[in-house]
């Protein structure tokens, strides 16, 4: 029995021992499996060299990554000391041993440096060495991980060298101040050009706000802050203006400010480029001054030519008038001759008046009386006069489309302009030729270099073209043909005022005149005049027809500050039976009317007078006594030119007796 029990116990112990043995075997198998998987994982890594060293630094394992970029197969390197991977200089310096010592003492060693491949070539590597300890904490070796950084290091080096070259370039620039600002506008970098232009050394200006370069008044207005704000809003800021150097002197600067952002889009500051344009500005100012001098000289030349032309023509006219007046003083002169000389004086005075009007037309200072009319019918009405003017040797073709828009201009001045262009064409075709007159609707004025300020205006216009087949105009003379008294014709063959009248009329009417010409192939003038609105009609001028000299007596209040004109008007009106009271200014006229309004049927007033002018007087009379007629008279008045006659009847000076009586009618 006792034996049976002992046998059972032994069998049980054997069974327990077998069970325990099976479990230990299972644990060992799992560990081996895990180690095998880890080893396969390590050996599969190709971008990192991962290997083990024993306590002395001999290589005991070698993965695929180590083999790939160090060049050794596992069979060639395992067992060798890892110092063979170092450069000769590092081995002589004891760097391998020191690396293991640091890893053992500090628990980690990390560095970047040059290493050597099997073929002797060097590469830049990132190295990490960790100590490997057993379960009891005893050092049994080292784990070493290395990565080839050659390409990355080369890229970093290239970037560094590029940045260095760029920095040297920027700091070597002397003609431009190039510097950096932080996001708040404080200087962080400063090149040589900035020192030369602004006067500050780098250590003097770095950390200071860039507003110190601005004028005090600009700082007070917040210009520095505004420039940075605009740079942020528009991604750039550019301007020219005065800036201040370190010594307080001013210079004219061209400034560009651009915001600088990081790769993530964060504002890191501003790049500021400044250039000293002081000398260029002075040169431009000197050039402008010379241009002004030249322009002034040209104006003086033109004034001299105008003065000479006016003096020449008026002297001729005055000679005729003076001679006719002398002849009238001869005793016993027959009535026929007396009438002849009077007519000569009257005709010559008319030519003098026409000369004055042409000068005013060129100066755009003549009073115009615009109205809406049709160009086609007006030109057709002139066709007979045109044909008579050019003579039988010139064939006249008038082709005007039926759909032309009506224009708004002074009809009388328009006809004068057309005839002046026709006469100019006739003189260019001394051997005969063809004169073509055509027109078209246009939606803008041409762009002319002669008068840029008036050119290129959009709107509705009618363009009337007069083209001849004459001798043409030399290119060098094109810019002068509209100047008064400039003419290429022979002496006494023209006044040089015809084209001036055309030019002045076109400009004052809100239009333009252009010319195209080729020597030997004729000339084409195109007159552009503004279209009329549907409601525009002639309202500012009253037609004054010739009337008989004997009219019903009228009480006239004459307001004239010129003694000769006032005495003449009073005398001739009195001679034909009118009652005239003559005062010399507007204030006196109002005083007379205040007490004697009922006496007067008409107020005839000059426009240009001391004190209140004729227009102001007329308005005041219209306000106080709206039923009293007012007629304005002037030879020239800026008020009439720029303000119009405000609906008052107008009598142009110089006037004849017939014209004066026609107003009184």
């Amino acid at each position: 029995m006792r034996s049976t029990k002992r046998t059972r116990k032994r069998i049980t112990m054997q069974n327990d021992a077998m069970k325990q043995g099976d479990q230990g075997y299972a644990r060992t198998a799992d560990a081996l499996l895990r180690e095998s998987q880890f080893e396969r994982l390590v050996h599969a890594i190709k971008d990192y060299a991962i290997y083990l060293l024993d306590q002395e630094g001999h290589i005991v394992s070698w993965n695929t990554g180590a083999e790939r970029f160090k060049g050794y197969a596992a069979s060639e390197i395992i067992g060798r000391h890892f110092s063979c991977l170092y450069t000769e200089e590092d081995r002589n310096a004891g760097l391998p041993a020191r690396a293991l010592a640091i890893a053992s003492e500090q628990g980690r060693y990390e560095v970047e440096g040059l290493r050597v491949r099997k073929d002797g070539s060097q590469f830049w590597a990132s190295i990490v060495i960790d100590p490997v300890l057993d379960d009891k904490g005893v050092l049994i070796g080292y784990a070493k991980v290395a990565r080839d950084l050659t390409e990355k290091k080369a890229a970093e080096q290239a970037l560094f060298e590029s940045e260095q070259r760029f920095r040297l370039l920027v700091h070597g620039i002397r003609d431009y101040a190039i510097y950096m600002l932080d996001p708040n506008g404080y200087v962080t970098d400063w090149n040589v050009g900035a020192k030369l232009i602004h006067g500050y050394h780098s250590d003097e200006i770095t950390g200071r706000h860039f507003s110190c370069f601005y004028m005090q008044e600009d700082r007070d207005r917040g210009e520095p802050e505004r420039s940075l704000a605009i740079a942020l809003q528009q991604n750039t800021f550019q301007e020219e203006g005065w800036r201040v150097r370190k010594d307080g002197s001013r210079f004219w600067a061209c400034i560009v400010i651009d915001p600088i952002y990081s790769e993530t889009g964060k504002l890191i500051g501003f790049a500021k480029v400044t250039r000293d344009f002081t000398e260029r500005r002075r040169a431009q100012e000197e050039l402008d001054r010379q241009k002004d001098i030249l322009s002034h000289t040209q104006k003086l030349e033109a004034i001299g030519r105008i003065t000479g032309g006016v003096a020449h023509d008026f002297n001729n006219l005055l000679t005729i008038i003076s001679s006719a007046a002398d002849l009238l003083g001869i005793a016993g002169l027959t009535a026929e001759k007396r009438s002849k000389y009077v007519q000569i004086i009257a005709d010559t005075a008319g030519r003098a008046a026409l000369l004055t009007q042409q000068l005013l037309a060129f100066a755009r200072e003549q009073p115009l009386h615009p109205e809406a009319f049709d160009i086609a019918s007006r030109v057709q009405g002139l066709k007979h006069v045109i044909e008579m003017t050019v003579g039988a040797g010139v064939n006249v073709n008038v082709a005007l489309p039926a759909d032309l828009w009506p224009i708004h201009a002074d009809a009388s001045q328009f006809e004068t302009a057309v005839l002046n262009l026709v006469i100019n064409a006739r003189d260019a075709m001394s051997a005969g030729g063809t004169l073509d007159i055509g027109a078209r609707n246009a939606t803008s004025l041409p762009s002319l270099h002669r008068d840029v300020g008036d050119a290129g205006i959009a709107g509705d216009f009618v363009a009337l073209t007069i083209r001849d087949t004459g001798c043409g105009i030399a290119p060098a003379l094109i810019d002068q043909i509209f100047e008064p008294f400039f003419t290429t014709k022979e002496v006494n063959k023209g006044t040089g005022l015809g084209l001036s009248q055309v030019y002045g009329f076109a400009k004052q009417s809100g239009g333009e005149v252009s010319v195209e010409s080729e020597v030997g192939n004729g000339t084409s003038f195109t007159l552009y005049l503004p279209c009329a609105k549907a409601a525009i009609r002639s309202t500012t001028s009253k037609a004054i027809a010739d009337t008989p000299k004997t009219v019903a007596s009228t009480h006239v209040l004459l307001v004239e500050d010129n003694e000769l004109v006032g005495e003449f008007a009073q005398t001739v009106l009195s001679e034909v039976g009118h009652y005239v009271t003559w005062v010399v200014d507007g204030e006196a006229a109002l005083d007379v009317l205040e007490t004697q309004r009922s006496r007067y049927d008409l107020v005839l007033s000059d426009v240009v007078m001391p004190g209140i002018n004729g227009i102001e007087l007329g308005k005041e009379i219209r306000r106080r006594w709206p039923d009293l007629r007012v007629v304005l008279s002037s030879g020239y008045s800026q008020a009439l030119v720029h303000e119009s006659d405000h609906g008052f009847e107008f009598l142009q000076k110089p006037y004849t007796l017939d014209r004066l009586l026609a107003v009184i009618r």
Side-chain angles (χ1 to χ4, degrees):
M1 179 69 72
R2 219 182 274 153
S3 175
T4 304
K5 290 181 178 179
R6 284 197 295 269
T7 303
R8 289 177 179 171
K9 183 177 181 180
R10 187 170 59 252
I11 293 171
T12 301
M13 291 176 64
Q14 290 175 346
N15 290 335
D16 290 341
M18 290 177 65
K19 290 180 180 179
Q20 291 176 359
D22 290 342
Q23 291 173 356
Y25 177 79
R27 284 196 297 272
T28 301
D30 290 341
L32 290 173
L33 177 60
R34 286 195 299 272
E35 289 175 1
S36 175
Q37 291 174 339
F38 181 74
E39 185 175 356
R40 286 198 298 271
L41 172 64
V42 170
H43 279 282
I45 295 174
K46 296 180 179 181
D47 291 332
Y48 288 84
I50 303 175
Y51 49 98
L52 287 172
L53 309 176
D54 63 13
Q55 290 174 302
E56 288 75 29
H58 295 91
I59 298 170
V60 296
S61 71
W62 193 251
N63 81 330
T64 304
E67 182 177 342
R68 186 176 70 84
F69 65 81
K70 290 182 182 284
Y72 293 95
S75 60
E76 296 176 306
I77 196 68
I78 291 177
R80 294 181 64 178
H81 198 274
F82 85 111
S83 61
C84 68
L85 306 174
Y86 283 71
T87 65
E88 183 69 27
E89 294 81 6
D90 288 346
R91 287 198 299 271
N92 293 336
L95 186 58
R98 188 162 62 251
L100 296 183
I102 293 173
S104 176
E105 293 170 2
Q106 301 181 7
R108 182 182 182 83
Y109 174 79
E110 184 173 358
V111 73
E112 289 184 4
L114 288 174
R115 293 298 181 265
V116 182
R117 293 188 176 93
K118 176 184 176 181
D119 61 7
S121 63
Q122 296 181 350
F123 66 99
W124 195 268
S126 170
I127 296 101
V128 177
I129 301 177
D130 291 316
V132 178
L133 308 176
D134 64 9
D135 293 340
K136 296 180 180 180
V138 177
L139 178 69
I140 60 175
Y142 300 89
K144 192 167 185 293
V145 180
R147 188 177 186 186
D148 187 351
L149 297 181
T150 305
E151 293 183 359
K152 178 183 177 183
K153 201 68 178 179
E156 291 177 351
Q157 183 64 24
L159 179 60
F160 174 77
E161 292 175 355
S162 175
E163 290 176 346
Q164 284 296 101
R165 288 194 298 270
F166 182 74
R167 179 174 290 274
L168 290 173
L169 171 65
V170 170
H171 281 271
I173 294 175
R174 306 173 68 85
D175 292 334
Y176 290 82
I178 303 175
Y179 50 98
M180 290 286 295
L181 308 175
D182 70 10
N184 296 315
Y186 291 90
V187 179
T188 60
D189 192 57
W190 193 252
N191 82 329
V192 175
K195 174 185 175 299
L196 294 174
I197 292 175
H198 289 282
Y200 295 92
H201 289 279
S202 178
D203 56 356
E204 293 178 307
I205 197 63
T206 301
R208 291 183 63 180
H209 198 270
F210 83 112
S211 59
C212 65
F213 308 136
Y214 283 72
M215 305 281 291
Q216 183 60 50
E217 53 267 33
D218 292 338
R219 292 199 295 270
D220 294 341
R221 290 197 303 268
E223 290 298 319
E225 294 76 13
R226 185 184 70 87
S227 63
L228 296 185
I230 293 175
L232 287 175
Q233 293 170 1
Q234 302 180 5
N235 209 36
T236 190
F237 171 79
Q238 299 183 30
E239 75 165 1
E240 290 188 10
W242 290 109
R243 293 295 183 267
V244 182
R245 294 188 174 94
K246 177 185 174 182
D247 62 8
S249 61
R250 299 190 313 167
F251 67 100
W252 187 261
C254 174
I255 296 102
V256 178
I257 302 177
D258 292 320
I260 306 298
Y261 298 94
S262 67
E263 294 179 356
T264 60
K266 179 182 177 181
L267 177 69
I268 59 177
F270 299 88
K272 191 168 187 293
V273 180
T274 301
R275 191 173 186 189
D276 186 351
F277 273 2
T278 307
E279 291 302 320
R280 193 180 82 167
R281 178 179 172 84
R282 287 174 181 166
Q284 183 62 48
E285 289 176 344
E286 178 62 21
L287 179 61
D288 292 341
R289 191 178 72 86
Q290 294 297 331
K291 286 181 178 179
D292 289 342
I293 292 174
L294 177 60
S295 176
H296 182 66
T297 302
Q298 291 172 334
K299 288 178 181 178
L300 289 177
E301 181 182 350
I303 290 172
R305 185 162 54 242
I306 292 172
T307 304
V310 170
H312 175 269
D313 285 4
F314 265 102
N315 279 334
N316 288 339
L317 298 175
L318 290 173
T319 298
I320 297 172
I321 293 174
S322 177
S323 298
D326 289 340
L327 292 173
L328 286 174
I330 297 175
L333 197 66
T334 64
E336 181 181 357
K337 289 185 177 181
R338 185 177 299 277
S339 176
K340 175 183 176 182
Y341 297 147
V342 168
Q343 187 61 46
I344 289 174
I345 292 174
D347 292 344
T348 307
R351 290 172 60 188
L354 178 60
L355 178 63
T356 303
Q357 290 176 1
Q358 288 176 321
L359 284 171
L360 290 175
F362 169 76
R364 294 178 253 176
E365 298 291 352
Q366 63 174 339
L368 295 181
H369 303 290
E371 58 182 297
F373 63 89
D374 176 52
I375 275 186
S377 60
R378 190 71 61 156
V379 173
Q380 289 292 351
L382 287 173
K383 186 176 180 181
H384 179 65
V385 177
I386 292 172
E387 290 174 339
M388 292 180 60
T389 300
V390 297
V394 175
N395 182 34
V396 178
N397 297 319
V398 178
L400 300 174
D403 61 348
L404 289 177
W405 298 323
I407 68 166
H408 184 240
D410 187 306
S412 176
Q413 290 293 325
F414 169 76
E415 291 181 352
T416 301
V418 171
L419 291 177
N420 278 329
L421 290 175
V422 168
I423 292 170
N424 190 75
R426 178 203 65 190
D427 293 343
M429 297 184 291
S430 57
T434 301
L435 180 69
D436 294 316
I437 301 177
R440 59 182 174 83
N441 295 325
T443 56
S444 66
L445 295 180
S447 296
L448 303 177
H449 297 293
R450 185 182 66 251
D451 197 343
V452 176
D454 294 333
I457 301 175
D460 292 334
F461 300 87
V462 173
L464 177 71
T465 300
I466 297 178
R467 182 180 295 106
D468 66 64
T469 58
C471 58
I473 304 170
L477 302 179
I478 288 290
D479 291 336
Q480 297 178 272
I481 60 175
F482 292 106
E483 295 179 6
F485 297 107
F486 177 85
T487 180
T488 59
K489 301 172 186 177
E490 298 176 8
V491 179
N492 295 325
K493 294 295 184 181
T495 63
L497 287 173
L499 293 181
S500 298
Q501 183 273 335
V502 176
Y503 175 77
F505 165 65
K507 290 292 188 177
Q508 194 175 355
S509 299
E512 182 60 272
V513 58
S514 66
V515 56
E516 296 178 3
S517 185
E518 183 179 351
V519 175
N521 289 321
T523 302
S524 175
F525 285 92
T526 301
L527 182 62
Y528 294 82
L529 294 171
C531 291
K533 304 295 188 296
I536 293 179
R537 291 294 182 269
S538 177
T539 59
T540 60
S541 64
K542 308 293 188 294
I544 302 175
D546 290 339
T547 60
K549 293 181 175 56
T550 56
V551 293
S553 296
T554 303
H555 286 77
V556 178
L557 177 59
L558 175 65
V559 189
E560 174 61 65
D561 65 315
N562 185 285
E563 184 177 351
L564 292 176
V565 176
E567 186 176 348
F568 164 76
Q570 184 181 42
T571 299
V572 296
L573 288 176
S574 299
E575 286 289 338
V576 295
H578 297 292
Y579 303 98
V580 180
T581 302
W582 174 26
V583 296
V584 296
D585 57 51
E587 289 83 353
L590 292 175
D591 290 342
V592 170
L593 291 174
E594 193 69 42
T595 58
Q596 305 177 43
R597 156 66 188 92
S598 58
R599 288 186 54 189
Y600 297 102
D601 305 304
L602 170 70
V603 175
L604 175 59
S605 174
D606 187 22
V607 174
V608 181
M609 297 183 298
I612 62 174
N613 63 37
I615 294 177
E616 294 168 341
L617 173 62
K619 289 180 179 180
E620 184 63 20
I621 292 174
R622 181 187 286 168
R623 185 182 70 82
R624 297 191 196 181
W625 305 286
D627 59 331
L628 180 59
R629 272 184 74 200
V630 175
V631 177
L632 301 180
S633 179
S634 179
Y636 163 73
S637 169
Q638 285 189 335
L640 284 176
V641 172
H642 300 296
E643 299 179 21
S644 81
D645 53 21
H646 295 275
F648 295 110
E649 297 174 74
F650 182 72
L651 178 62
Q652 178 74 47
K653 291 181 180 179
Y655 49 76
T656 64
L657 175 60
D658 288 340
R659 298 283 290 175
L660 178 59
L661 294 179
V663 171
I664 307 301
R665 173 171 65 128

